[in-house]
Amino acid sequence: MKLLKLFSIISLLILLNIKNSFALEFYDNFPLPIGLYFIDYPLYYSADKKIDEKGNVVNDDVGFRLMKNLFRLAYWGRTSSGNPYLLNIIIPFGKKEARSINESDSGLGDIFLASSYTLCKQEKLYFLGTVYFKIPTGDFDEEKNINIGDGQFDIWFQLNYAQLINKITLESNLTYIYKFENSKNDFKSGNEYKFESLVGYELSDKLRTGVELSASFSENDKKNGHIIDNSKSKVVQLGPQLFIRISDKVSVNIKVISDVYVRNNLKGTLMHGRLFFAF
């Protein structure tokens, strides 16, 4: 029973680390021309270390891997007053595995519906508001330690910023994630606060490079309505990013992000891509 309990705790920590698969990419927060866009986000996350609330490594052989593709269909439009807005659907497919407990799951993940609206726009400066709704479409089995779905609804409230200063781009997101209780196991993940920032520099009209810094902080989890002490987590990530414009309608974004500061979570590395197509 003690071993099973340990495995369950590892599983919950894994979910905390990988739920938020979205990442800030170049030009994410700049409104685009009216039209339909298709974006594919392939990602690979690898973590072998589990860190406790004091920063100590309590397991260095977790063997967790996440392979995923997020397919996003987006429409940029304009209101009657000319204000940009964005409508999205994001459909993930992938596989999770933890070699230390010899478990895995794969298939359709939790689908997101999202909408953005431009709150303020000036010359080369934008503020947007975004709301995401996560629908638990992915498989979730309370008897398993690894699930491709979370088994819960989430709502994300996000403030987006973007500015172009000569050859420098500045983008950031400030996000609050409210997580509903999973009715299958009466477990509620702690609500989360997340900050992402990206500074880029234009090397040419087709090439841009930069650095991303992000930090996330979660509240304590709850089980059957009771707070689980010392279940808050903190993760700070840092890494380089490269943008390549292939044509007016096609671009590629590549980045490698490392967990540089972790408390009560897994510590690993994320390799993340973006393939962008304009119709």
Side-chain angles (χ1 to χ4, degrees):
M1 289 297 294
K2 289 183 178 180
L3 187 60
L4 179 60
K5 183 177 180 181
L6 174 61
F7 288 167
S8 297
I9 292 172
I10 292 174
S11 168
L12 294 176
L13 290 172
I14 288 171
L15 289 176
L16 283 173
N17 192 284
I18 61 170
K19 282 178 183 175
N20 306 333
S21 300
F22 306 120
L24 184 58
E25 317 271 1
F26 282 125
Y27 304 113
D28 269 356
N29 295 342
F30 287 94
L32 297 177
I34 294 174
L36 193 62
Y37 301 86
F38 174 76
I39 308 100
D40 174 30
Y41 299 91
L43 65 89
Y44 176 79
Y45 179 75
S46 171
D48 289 316
K49 294 182 179 180
K50 175 174 169 278
I51 311 298
D52 67 11
E53 68 274 9
K54 296 181 180 180
N56 300 314
V57 178
V58 294
N59 188 340
D60 62 0
D61 191 28
V62 177
F64 178 75
R65 304 293 183 266
L66 170 68
M67 294 73 72
K68 204 175 210 179
N69 264 281
L70 291 89
F71 300 104
R72 174 184 168 198
L73 191 63
Y75 175 77
W76 273 103
R78 298 294 185 272
T79 64
S80 57
S81 61
N83 226 28
Y85 66 88
L86 175 64
L87 302 175
N88 293 276
I89 182 170
I90 301 151
I91 304 175
F93 289 89
K95 179 181 180 180
K96 293 180 186 179
E97 63 181 28
R99 291 200 300 265
S100 59
I101 57 175
N102 195 30
E103 282 198 22
S104 66
D105 196 17
S106 61
L108 173 69
D110 295 337
I111 292 175
F112 280 80
L113 301 176
S115 178
S116 301
Y117 184 76
T118 303
L119 304 174
C120 174
K121 59 175 181 175
Q122 298 180 8
E123 185 179 2
K124 300 179 181 180
L125 171 64
Y126 300 92
F127 285 96
L128 296 86
T130 301
V131 178
Y132 291 88
F133 297 93
K134 183 173 75 65
I135 305 169
T137 51
D139 178 64
F140 183 87
D141 183 347
E142 62 269 29
E143 300 299 324
K144 295 171 59 178
N145 293 292
I146 300 296
N147 287 284
I148 196 66
D150 294 342
Q152 69 193 40
F153 289 90
D154 292 349
I155 301 179
W156 300 26
F157 302 95
Q158 191 173 82
L159 180 64
N160 316 103
Y161 156 78
Q163 188 170 10
L164 179 62
I165 305 174
N166 296 322
K167 293 187 175 185
I168 297 174
T169 52
L170 305 174
E171 296 183 70
S172 63
N173 293 332
L174 185 62
T175 309
Y176 172 69
I177 305 172
Y178 181 83
K179 303 175 182 179
F180 291 85
E181 183 178 279
N182 185 329
S183 60
K184 293 185 177 181
N185 60 5
D186 300 317
F187 181 86
K188 182 186 182 304
S189 297
N191 299 331
E192 188 173 346
Y193 306 85
K194 189 175 182 70
F195 173 75
E196 302 164 286
S197 62
L198 174 61
V199 179
Y201 183 79
E202 183 183 279
L203 300 175
S204 71
D205 60 344
K206 293 187 176 183
L207 193 64
R208 182 176 293 273
T209 188
V211 177
E212 178 183 344
L213 173 67
S214 68
S216 61
F217 309 90
S218 78
E219 300 172 353
N220 281 318
D221 303 327
K222 293 182 180 180
K223 177 69 174 178
N224 296 319
H226 300 290
I227 293 175
I228 302 175
D229 293 332
N230 300 318
S231 57
K232 295 180 180 179
S233 71
K234 302 176 183 177
V235 179
V236 177
Q237 299 173 304
L238 180 68
Q241 189 165 154
L242 179 67
F243 170 85
I244 304 169
R245 189 188 307 279
I246 298 174
S247 70
D248 291 341
K249 293 182 177 291
V250 181
S251 66
V252 176
N253 207 84
I254 303 169
K255 64 180 177 181
V256 179
I257 305 295
S258 298
D259 300 330
V260 294
Y261 175 88
V262 177
R263 292 293 183 271
N264 235 12
N265 219 312
L266 297 178
K267 185 175 184 180
T269 300
L270 172 69
M271 291 181 284
H272 196 286
R274 182 187 66 185
L275 307 175
F276 178 92
F277 302 90
F279 290 97

